[in-house]
Amino acid sequence: MKILTYILSLILGGFVYFLFAAYMTVSAGLNSSSPLVSVGFAILIFGFLSWFHFYKPKIGAILLTLAFLGMYLTWPVYLLIEYFGKSDYKSSPIEFLTPMVLGGLVVFLVWKSKNIELNKWTKLALAIPPAIIGLYVGGYMAMRLLG
C-alpha cells in the first residue's frame, strides 16, 4: 500500500504541474497567484512528500494531507467553481476531478497503509529520483520567478 501511495502521489503532483504548464502555454500569463501556490504544493508533494511517509509515517501522513488540501483549495477548486458557475470559460471535468480523486485516494491510502518497514536501499531508491526532479523544477521555477 505504501508503494501505491507513492505512485499515486507522484501522478497527482505531476498532473497538477502539467495542468499548470498547459494553462501557462495557452494563457501566457497569470491573473492571480493561486496557480503558482498550487504548483508549489504539487512540487512539494512530488519531490518530498511522496516518499517522506516511508521514514516518518504519522508526520508524513499529516503533511501530505495538508499539502493536498493546500494544493487543491488554491487552484483546482476555482476550476470547479468556474465549471458550475456562470463564467465564459468552462473547464473540463478532468481538470478538477482528477486532482480531487487522486488526492482523495492518496490521503486515504497514506492514513490506512500499514507501517511496513521497507529496506533502507529501497527507501533511498524511491526517494532520490523525485527529490532530484522536485529540486530541479522547484529551483528552476524559483529562479524564473525571482529574477
Side-chain angles (χ1 to χ4, degrees):
M1 273 249 234
K2 283 191 175 274
I3 302 296
L4 183 61
T5 306
Y6 169 78
I7 292 168
L8 286 177
S9 62
L10 290 178
I11 292 171
L12 172 66
F15 181 84
V16 171
Y17 178 78
F18 286 122
L19 180 66
F20 174 78
Y23 270 85
M24 284 304 294
T25 57
V26 172
S27 69
L30 293 173
N31 57 3
S32 74
S33 62
S34 294
L36 283 175
V37 172
S38 183
V39 167
F41 278 117
I43 292 170
L44 183 68
I45 288 171
F46 184 93
F48 178 67
L49 297 175
S50 62
W51 55 267
F52 184 69
H53 64 91
F54 292 142
Y55 295 96
K56 302 285 184 186
K58 189 76 160 177
I59 296 170
I62 292 168
L63 290 176
L64 193 59
T65 303
L66 291 174
F68 165 69
L69 289 173
M71 180 195 72
Y72 192 76
L73 294 177
T74 53
W75 184 37
V77 75
Y78 292 123
L79 296 175
L80 175 70
I81 292 168
E82 285 180 1
Y83 180 75
F84 290 109
K86 302 214 183 287
S87 174
D88 293 337
Y89 173 73
K90 293 289 186 193
S91 58
S92 172
I94 197 168
E95 295 172 12
F96 57 85
L97 285 179
T98 304
M100 185 171 66
V101 170
L102 283 175
L105 280 172
V106 166
V107 169
F108 174 77
L109 288 174
V110 79
W111 282 102
K112 294 297 180 187
S113 64
K114 296 178 178 139
N115 290 332
I116 300 169
E117 191 60 34
L118 296 174
N119 182 348
K120 178 176 97 169
W121 298 108
T122 305
K123 288 181 188 178
L124 285 174
L126 292 173
I128 290 173
I132 290 172
I133 293 170
L135 284 172
Y136 172 73
V137 172
Y140 175 76
M141 286 188 68
M143 285 177 28
R144 296 287 294 191
L145 188 66
L146 298 175

